[in-house]
Amino acid sequence: MEFDIPLPEELELLEANSYYPEEEDDYLNFEEAPYPYDEEKEEEERVAQKELHVQQPDSPEINGIKRPRSLMSDPIVNLDEVSPASEKRSKIGDNRVEMEDEDWLRPSPVKEVVHAVEEEEEVIPPETIFSRYASEIDGECFPITAPDGGERVYAKFCRALGDEEVKKLDVKAKSNGLIKDPISVLLQQSEKEAFNKALQTSSEDQNETITAETPVMHEKLWVDKYSPSSFTELLSDEQTNREVLLWLKQWDASVFGSEIRSTTDEVLSALKRHSTTSHRQKSDSAFTRKNQFSRWSKGSSTYPKNSDVSNSNPTDNHDMWNKKSKLTGSPEQKILLLCGAPGLGKTTLAHVAAKHCGYRVVEINASDERSAAAIETKILDVVQMNSVTADSRPKCLVIDEIDGALGDGKGAVDVILKMVLAERKHATGKENINNGKTSSKKERRTAPLSRPVICICNDLYAPALRPLRQIAKVHIFVQPTVSRVVNRLKYICNMEGMKTRSVGLSALAEYTECDIRSCLNTLQFLNKKNETLNVIDIGSQVVGRKDMSKSLFDIWKEIFNKRKMKRERSNDASGSEAKKFDFLHTLVSSRGDYDLIFDGIHENILRLHYHDPMMDKTVSCLDCLGASDLLHRYIMRTQQMPLYVYFSSLVIPIHRRVAQIQRPTIEWPKSYHRCRTLMVEKQESLRSWYHKIPPYIGRHLSIKSFVEDSASPLLHILSPPTLRPVASHLLSERQKDQLAGLVMLMCSYSVTYKNAKPNPALSDLREDAASEATVLALDPHLFDFISFKGRQLKHHILTLAMKQVLVHEVEMQKILQASGGRSGILNNPEEVKKTNQELARKTIAASNECHRNPVTSKSPSVPVEKNATTSEAKSSDVKKASRTALNFFDRFRKSRKDYEDPEDVQKRATAKRDSRPLLFKFNEGFTNAVKRPVRMREFLL
Amino acid sequence: MEIRVKCGCGEDECSEWTIVELQGVVETQSSFQGSVQNLEIGRLCHSDSSQENYTFTVGYHELVGSKVTLKKPLLVLKKIQKCTDDSSVKETELEVVGIIRSKILFKTRPKPLISGTN
């Protein structure tokens, strides 16, 4: 009964809401009852009244209003007393109750009861505003139909209580399903959201004036406000920081000249020597160097002069650099490539390190123009120009998001590559020819790289970056530890006066995968809204993240690989499951190449080693793939691109079924492409063969049905086992007929044997011919259409000698047919009189018969026998058909031939010959063969 | 030994001959038993005056050739044997018949002609 109590409540509510106009109608003209439906309702209510009277004494302790309704919904009670019409009605009601039960009441029925009771109580006391007309109540109202007499009243809806209720539910609802919240809570939340939205829009009119008055505040982003300004504040991995700095230091020699070489060496050695433990010491020394530098650049006059020299006379500079390269070893790789996930501080590191080493940073971002020409001028600016402003430090180029735009970014990559290569060529040329002037001319054209260039990318393996990767010094950023991020976040929060707990911060950091930028943005956003960080589900709060898509291989890996979750399992398994769920979904949907993703899954899924004794995992995964296929096809056909959204959710069940902890070996999907090309090839061969068949046979064949149905029977017919490879005059009459029939069949289907290269796939099919260097194979490879991998064909295979005989006979037959000769091998005069119509019918019947035979009968010998006979009949039919078809044209040819007299022809031929008494015979080759030596004596004697 | 070369004509009147050089052999049809007497060898046509293009039709072949000036001109001589009194000694004279300054060279493969009559 626990479940039954709330149900009528729901039913009641629903009735009150949905049948409101009808009931109103009903209420007004009670006697007329315009619809039978209403009558039922009336009856039901009347019954309910009766029930009320009957039941009340039995259950006095239960609330009087509630009890009868529960009975009303109970079909057993109702069936006894209610008419059949109302029975139907009650069933409808039941169904509805079930529906409601599903999505509303299942998880926490007790809670619901309490809620309902509370509401009920709230309504019943007469103190609350309570009227028969909705217009009398201000604010939200709630219709209630009284059980006795069907009277309808409106009660004011007290919202405060209800909201609290919902909130309580929200906190309590934490199940371990796939989704973070159970469906009921989600529904409630969505209801609440809609409600709040409606509330907001209604209240917006009042608030509008207020919001307009509030001044627009410009607050600096925390990300910028607290970005590290010095090297020591950097949050990224120290090793990486150090190496970037080291690389920049190596430029010093060529950029700043030899004056500061001593300090450079010092710093270099210090950098090399010091390990991470002596970080502070090192940074101190770096600071002194920096101070020294700034002092020096301001005060002393040597540096500007030097920079002037280096800019106006690059050869000088390069001479110096070359010298230096021998001494100190300037950077071998001219370009630094930083890569890593967004928000790890790559750009910050580049800026800070460059600043630290005394460079002015020139950044080219994704938002700038990045065509090849534009970037070249920019780089030339950086390399050659000296700014007129007070800030006369040398520049360092930072190209951010170089992988971002493929077409344009590639232009940038090309320019940089060109410059680096020019530099190299120049350097080698310099060593060979020690001539400053010529090389300087050359250099002006190619503009080599003489300032550090730092490229930043998210995906190291973007195809555009492939050439750059080979020549650049690559640093891959790793995630900083959570504690480090949390410490920094805490510090910032303290500075901003925002109250946070470290648990929440660490959860945030984990959620964003240590993306400090999004952490900070989120925190600032929340601070602005005066909200606190919700520890339990961070995803619900706004966390801005940079769009990022992983490579396909990463996605496949994520799908097939289960992560080890030791920590998370101890916390709560459900949360991590839900997180995984979300993670995969966003991963796949941000990538977008759904068909390729699914191809990859299809290619790799069967190679995984998952435990699946009953094959149900496999089956369900393949079901998912099938669903994706269907969906894809539907989308392609109807062009309803929004449906692509659902692809990403299909990945999740696959992941849950087959994901393994051990690392899968993933291959790029090739099988689809291979199959496609193979299919096109075979279709092409089949189609060309189809066009070769004479139309009176071809019209009874469709390519599809031929492959599916008649290819195999036809092959049986084409290779009858009864034929013996002996000389034709040794054959018996019957065998001769058979042979002739086969030849005619092959002719009319334009099938013949041809020399083919020995195919490994075919050689095991034809055992006897396999040893030969060349194999006689059917000209359209009919065996290919019916051969499946690992399936032995049952067809009899003719011997090589027989094939040769057949080839010969077929050729002869073809020639005979072409010349229109009447003397075929077969001559069945009794069949000649049959009409073409009959013949076509018979051909079809024969093919049907021979098609049916191998399928129905089980022993292999019987169908072959039958096939042989049918083939005979068929071939003779076919032969006759060909003859009749030829006769039509023969008539014309004959009549023309008769016109000529053979003697006349002969005469004409001789006359033709006589008209040309001399013939010229061309000698191939040399021209001077006619020359020969002549002695003087021969002239005289 | 003395060979006398005699030229009967003057400098201008010396008749000019031309060589027709073919890469191949002109054969008679088998029905004529090798006798070339009174048989038309072929037709030599000078197609265009500006370009030294010649076509030569032999049998069912058509040859296309061009006029080539010889580096060293040739003389066409006729051997005349005079019987002197003494029968044992024959006096040989060479008489100039013509001079050859150019030849028509057919060095390409012949084109077969397909007669349109039948």
Side-chain angles (χ1 to χ4, degrees):
Chain A
M1 268 327 256
E2 207 177 43
F3 275 86
D4 269 357
I5 296 165
L7 303 189
E9 195 55 50
E10 279 314 307
L11 184 62
E12 167 64 19
L13 280 177
L14 212 96
E15 273 174 6
N17 287 326
S18 57
Y19 298 112
Y20 165 60
E22 275 168 9
E23 263 196 293
E24 190 80 331
D25 199 28
D26 195 353
Y27 179 68
L28 288 175
N29 27 356
F30 184 80
E31 297 301 321
E32 283 168 30
Y35 308 111
Y37 187 72
D38 285 334
E39 214 166 58
E40 288 164 31
K41 187 138 184 74
E42 282 316 308
E43 264 177 16
E44 198 177 37
E45 272 180 34
R46 250 177 271 143
V47 166
Q49 278 173 41
K50 253 188 249 166
E51 289 292 322
L52 179 72
H53 293 304
V54 173
Q55 293 285 331
Q56 233 161 2
D58 289 347
S59 55
E61 75 282 354
I62 304 174
N63 193 334
I65 303 168
K66 216 186 279 170
R67 187 61 194 146
R69 278 179 208 154
S70 80
L71 284 170
M72 205 165 76
S73 80
D74 196 348
I76 304 158
V77 180
N78 273 348
L79 275 172
D80 295 335
E81 303 180 27
V82 178
S83 63
S86 75
E87 184 186 321
K88 222 190 279 169
R89 166 86 187 95
S90 76
K91 264 186 187 162
I92 294 164
D94 253 347
N95 282 343
R96 208 186 303 134
V97 166
E98 269 171 27
M99 240 167 57
E100 288 292 323
D101 185 27
E102 255 180 44
D103 50 6
W104 169 262
L105 284 161
R106 192 182 291 153
S108 55
V110 182
K111 197 76 211 166
E112 246 344 281
V113 174
V114 174
H115 174 40
V117 168
E118 268 173 7
E119 234 179 320
E120 208 54 57
E121 274 169 0
E122 194 192 321
V123 171
I124 288 157
E127 300 96 77
T128 50
I129 301 164
F130 185 51
S131 166
R132 286 185 64 160
Y133 302 104
S135 56
E136 281 177 20
I137 300 165
D138 53 347
E140 294 262 321
C141 57
F142 191 68
I144 298 162
T145 314
D148 42 346
E151 220 174 350
R152 191 178 190 84
V153 290
Y154 296 90
K156 191 180 177 183
F157 198 80
C158 185
R159 191 170 303 113
L161 245 171
D163 271 5
E164 216 174 72
E165 202 59 46
V166 170
K167 241 175 210 169
K168 255 193 245 166
L169 269 176
D170 194 12
V171 173
K172 208 177 173 187
K174 219 179 97 185
S175 68
N176 34 359
L178 259 185
I179 324 172
K180 267 173 257 165
D181 310 310
I183 187 79
S184 60
V185 177
L186 285 181
L187 281 174
Q188 272 189 348
Q189 276 177 352
S190 72
E191 256 173 46
K192 189 179 147 195
E193 265 169 36
F195 178 69
N196 281 340
K197 206 177 270 177
L199 202 70
Q200 262 183 350
T201 48
S202 67
S203 63
E204 206 132 90
D205 306 323
Q206 297 144 18
N207 289 348
E208 223 166 22
T209 47
I210 304 162
T211 50
E213 277 165 27
T214 54
V216 183
M217 283 226 302
H218 288 292
E219 197 185 26
K220 210 178 167 193
L221 280 176
W222 287 5
V223 175
D224 297 333
K225 201 170 167 185
Y226 295 100
S227 71
S229 55
S230 73
F231 192 75
T232 45
E233 286 176 37
L234 282 172
L235 203 63
S236 42
D237 181 43
E238 278 200 14
Q239 187 65 31
T240 316
N241 296 350
R242 225 163 262 274
E243 283 186 13
V244 170
L245 199 64
L246 183 70
W247 180 81
L248 270 172
K249 283 286 172 207
Q250 287 175 345
W251 279 95
D252 278 2
S254 66
V255 174
F256 295 109
S258 59
E259 272 83 0
I260 44 170
R261 210 192 73 199
S262 53
T263 47
T264 313
D265 275 352
E266 199 176 282
V267 173
L268 273 176
S269 57
L271 278 168
K272 276 172 186 163
R273 206 175 339 108
H274 283 234
S275 60
T276 42
T277 50
S278 60
H279 172 233
R280 186 160 297 171
Q281 224 176 3
K282 185 243 111 205
S283 66
D284 281 346
S285 78
F287 267 116
T288 54
R289 186 231 163 293
K290 192 192 176 190
N291 292 340
Q292 196 183 341
F293 165 68
S294 60
R295 223 188 313 124
W296 173 69
S297 69
K298 268 181 212 159
S300 82
S301 58
T302 47
Y303 167 61
K305 204 192 274 175
N306 186 35
S307 75
D308 273 354
V309 166
S310 69
N311 285 323
S312 62
N313 192 357
T315 34
D316 201 338
N317 189 6
H318 275 280
D319 276 332
M320 207 148 57
W321 173 70
N322 269 343
K323 244 184 275 163
K324 196 69 41 71
S325 67
K326 280 159 203 155
L327 293 172
T328 60
S330 81
E332 275 172 33
Q333 288 113 336
K334 301 276 166 201
I335 290 162
L336 188 70
L337 187 61
L338 301 177
C339 65
L344 296 184
K346 299 179 294 297
T347 316
T348 316
L349 171 63
H351 280 252
V352 168
K355 231 177 271 171
H356 187 78
C357 293
Y359 291 95
R360 193 158 68 81
V361 176
V362 177
E363 188 179 321
I364 298 176
N365 213 328
S367 52
D368 299 323
E369 194 193 354
R370 299 208 284 191
S371 64
I375 213 136
E376 188 158 17
T377 54
K378 200 145 193 173
I379 292 170
L380 283 181
D381 281 357
V382 171
V383 170
Q384 293 182 337
M385 300 290 175
N386 202 9
S387 67
V388 279
T389 56
D391 187 16
S392 61
R393 291 177 292 169
K395 292 168 196 164
C396 166
L397 188 67
V398 174
I399 304 176
D400 208 347
E401 314 214 3
I402 197 165
D403 59 336
L406 260 180
D408 298 349
K410 201 148 191 214
V413 172
D414 286 345
V415 169
I416 293 167
L417 278 178
K418 208 170 76 189
M419 292 180 110
V420 171
L421 291 178
E423 173 95 352
R424 275 195 193 153
K425 219 179 279 169
H426 171 72
T428 54
K430 193 97 183 176
E431 278 168 21
N432 294 337
I433 318 151
N434 214 350
N435 193 344
K437 280 182 183 176
T438 52
S439 65
S440 80
K441 270 176 202 164
K442 198 201 283 173
E443 185 206 307
R444 208 151 276 162
R445 262 180 278 125
T446 50
L449 217 57
S450 62
R451 292 285 182 274
V453 174
I454 303 174
C455 300
I456 296 169
C457 66
N458 284 333
D459 181 14
L460 179 61
Y461 297 100
L465 295 183
R466 197 174 297 142
L468 196 62
R469 218 162 54 215
Q470 290 162 358
I471 60 158
K473 191 175 173 70
V474 180
H475 280 298
I476 297 169
F477 269 61
V478 290
Q479 286 183 7
T481 56
V482 175
S483 63
R484 240 181 130 179
V485 173
V486 168
N487 278 342
R488 175 62 68 86
L489 289 178
K490 218 173 201 171
Y491 165 75
I492 290 169
C493 285
N494 283 338
M495 292 291 281
E496 287 292 327
M498 187 181 176
K499 279 175 192 163
T500 47
R501 278 178 298 160
S502 49
V503 183
L505 288 179
S506 62
L508 180 67
E510 241 165 70
Y511 180 78
T512 57
E513 291 173 2
C514 294
D515 181 347
I516 189 133
R517 171 168 41 199
S518 79
C519 283
L520 276 180
N521 283 337
T522 312
L523 283 176
Q524 186 177 12
F525 192 66
L526 292 177
N527 189 37
K528 197 80 183 155
K529 281 166 65 182
N530 288 323
E531 279 179 29
T532 51
L533 199 60
N534 192 347
V535 183
I536 293 159
D537 54 343
I538 286 162
S540 68
Q541 285 177 322
V542 197
V543 178
R545 304 191 66 182
K546 196 172 164 183
D547 272 358
M548 222 190 102
S549 60
K550 286 193 166 182
S551 76
L552 278 166
F553 275 102
D554 286 342
I555 289 173
W556 289 325
K557 210 172 277 174
E558 284 295 340
I559 290 167
F560 293 135
N561 202 355
K562 193 185 272 172
R563 279 185 187 167
K564 280 180 195 165
M565 292 172 291
K566 282 175 195 160
R567 269 180 304 146
E568 279 158 309
R569 198 172 296 149
S570 61
N571 287 0
D572 54 335
S574 64
S576 71
E577 281 292 311
K579 211 183 277 173
K580 190 77 199 165
F581 190 109
D582 276 351
F583 173 71
L584 256 182
H585 192 272
T586 49
L587 187 73
V588 173
S589 52
S590 66
R591 175 69 200 189
D593 297 341
Y594 295 114
D595 39 349
L596 201 53
I597 289 174
F598 277 98
D599 271 355
I601 293 172
H602 181 249
E603 181 96 4
N604 291 300
I605 195 164
L606 294 179
R607 293 192 198 129
L608 293 178
H609 305 287
Y610 51 89
H611 182 67
D612 189 17
M614 300 300 287
M615 297 291 283
D616 22 327
K617 279 182 182 176
T618 313
V619 166
S620 59
C621 285
L622 291 179
D623 274 347
C624 280
L625 289 176
S628 83
D629 237 13
L630 284 177
L631 191 56
H632 189 249
R633 194 160 158 202
Y634 182 75
I635 288 171
M636 281 299 147
R637 193 180 292 156
T638 58
Q639 297 291 308
Q640 291 192 358
M641 299 308 172
L643 290 177
Y644 266 124
V645 178
Y646 300 105
F647 268 109
S648 35
S649 53
L650 283 172
V651 169
I652 293 158
I654 294 175
H655 167 76
R656 286 182 59 79
R657 297 248 156 67
V658 301
Q660 295 297 303
I661 286 170
Q662 69 257 42
R663 198 160 272 265
T665 52
I666 290 167
E667 281 179 22
W668 188 263
K670 277 177 265 168
S671 59
Y672 172 71
H673 192 71
R674 203 171 43 219
C675 285
R676 211 185 146 76
T677 48
L678 201 65
M679 180 163 163
V680 167
E681 195 180 291
K682 285 192 175 172
Q683 270 179 341
E684 196 49 50
S685 79
L686 201 56
R687 202 171 294 132
S688 65
W689 171 68
Y690 183 73
H691 289 308
K692 268 196 281 177
I693 300 177
Y696 61 87
I697 291 171
R699 74 179 171 198
H700 302 300
L701 285 175
S702 81
I703 289 180
K704 193 164 177 284
S705 70
F706 173 76
V707 172
E708 285 172 358
D709 297 337
S710 42
S712 179
L714 182 67
L715 281 170
H716 275 300
I717 296 167
L718 285 178
S719 52
T722 50
L723 273 182
R724 285 184 301 132
V726 288
S728 57
H729 56 83
L730 291 177
L731 291 171
S732 67
E733 199 58 33
R734 185 185 152 79
Q735 280 168 333
K736 254 182 204 167
D737 282 358
Q738 201 179 342
L739 178 65
L742 182 59
V743 168
M744 285 309 295
L745 181 76
M746 283 175 71
C747 271
S748 50
Y749 276 87
S750 69
V751 176
T752 180
Y753 287 99
K754 255 191 185 171
N755 275 326
K757 280 174 196 167
N759 194 341
L762 284 172
S763 60
D764 60 340
L765 296 176
R766 299 141 202 264
E767 294 88 352
D768 42 358
S771 53
E772 311 293 317
T774 57
V775 178
L776 279 175
L778 279 178
D779 182 18
H781 273 285
L782 291 178
F783 278 108
D784 283 3
F785 301 128
I786 56 162
S787 66
F788 294 96
K789 196 178 173 187
R791 185 175 161 271
Q792 194 71 30
L793 288 175
K794 295 255 169 62
H795 292 96
H796 178 261
I797 282 138
L798 294 176
T799 57
L800 187 63
M802 197 62 234
K803 277 178 192 167
Q804 277 164 346
V805 168
L806 278 174
V807 170
H808 179 72
E809 290 289 328
V810 165
E811 284 305 311
M812 208 162 77
Q813 188 62 27
K814 269 184 188 164
I815 290 163
L816 283 174
Q817 278 185 358
S819 67
R822 211 162 237 284
S823 56
I825 299 173
L826 262 191
N827 226 334
N828 289 348
E830 66 269 24
E831 275 185 359
V832 175
K833 275 158 195 157
K834 281 182 189 165
T835 59
N836 240 341
Q837 276 292 352
E838 269 179 304
L839 179 114
R841 198 150 38 80
K842 223 183 153 192
T843 319
I844 292 166
S847 75
N848 278 346
E849 195 185 344
C850 66
H851 170 215
R852 219 177 300 120
N853 279 335
V855 177
T856 49
S857 62
K858 278 177 185 169
S859 66
S861 62
V862 175
V864 169
E865 273 286 321
K866 271 191 182 173
N867 281 338
T869 56
T870 47
S871 82
E872 226 175 331
K874 188 177 169 184
S875 60
S876 55
D877 289 345
V878 160
K879 189 224 148 202
K880 207 221 71 186
S882 67
R883 193 185 301 150
T884 48
L886 282 170
N887 277 347
F888 181 72
F889 294 103
D890 280 351
R891 229 173 291 149
F892 297 99
R893 202 179 287 172
K894 267 275 157 65
S895 63
R896 200 168 153 185
K897 264 186 183 167
D898 290 340
Y899 181 69
E900 290 176 1
D901 191 25
E903 281 178 29
D904 195 27
V905 172
Q906 185 70 25
K907 233 182 232 172
R908 206 187 290 171
T910 51
K912 206 197 284 175
R913 201 180 58 197
D914 287 349
S915 69
R916 288 170 189 151
L918 293 178
L919 292 179
F920 180 68
K921 209 174 98 190
F922 183 71
N923 281 346
E924 194 81 42
F926 38 84
T927 56
N928 55 355
V930 286
K931 289 185 184 170
R932 56 192 168 92
V934 179
R935 291 172 187 254
M936 211 58 191
R937 207 187 308 145
E938 288 168 27
F939 286 114
L940 302 174
L941 297 175
Chain B
M1 191 169 178
E2 188 188 10
I3 306 168
R4 263 188 273 170
V5 178
K6 204 167 78 179
C7 184
C9 47
E11 200 178 314
D12 300 329
E13 293 129 59
C14 195
S15 60
E16 191 155 323
W17 288 45
T18 304
I19 301 177
V20 175
E21 188 180 327
L22 302 175
Q23 185 180 345
V25 185
V26 177
E27 288 175 336
T28 54
Q29 289 266 21
S30 55
S31 57
F32 293 94
Q33 277 95 32
S35 62
V36 204
Q37 303 296 325
N38 295 322
L39 286 180
E40 186 188 318
I41 296 171
R43 256 176 243 169
L44 182 66
C45 297
H46 186 205
S47 60
D48 207 342
S49 59
S50 62
Q51 292 169 344
E52 300 286 310
N53 253 351
Y54 292 84
T55 52
F56 185 41
T57 318
V58 192
Y60 46 80
H61 284 125
E62 190 183 74
L63 304 159
V64 179
S66 57
K67 196 171 185 178
V68 179
T69 316
L70 295 173
K71 282 177 199 163
K72 292 177 183 170
L74 299 172
L75 279 180
V76 184
L77 301 176
K78 194 177 177 184
K79 192 158 79 178
I80 300 164
Q81 285 185 330
K82 279 183 184 171
C83 291
T84 46
D85 309 330
D86 200 349
S87 60
S88 62
V89 179
K90 280 181 184 170
E91 207 168 284
T92 311
E93 255 183 14
L94 291 174
E95 191 192 350
V96 175
V97 180
I99 183 164
I100 303 172
R101 292 186 206 279
S102 63
K103 65 177 177 185
I104 302 170
L105 177 64
F106 299 95
K107 59 180 175 186
T108 53
R109 179 176 284 277
K111 259 194 301 185
L113 292 175
I114 297 157
S115 54
T117 51
N118 49 346

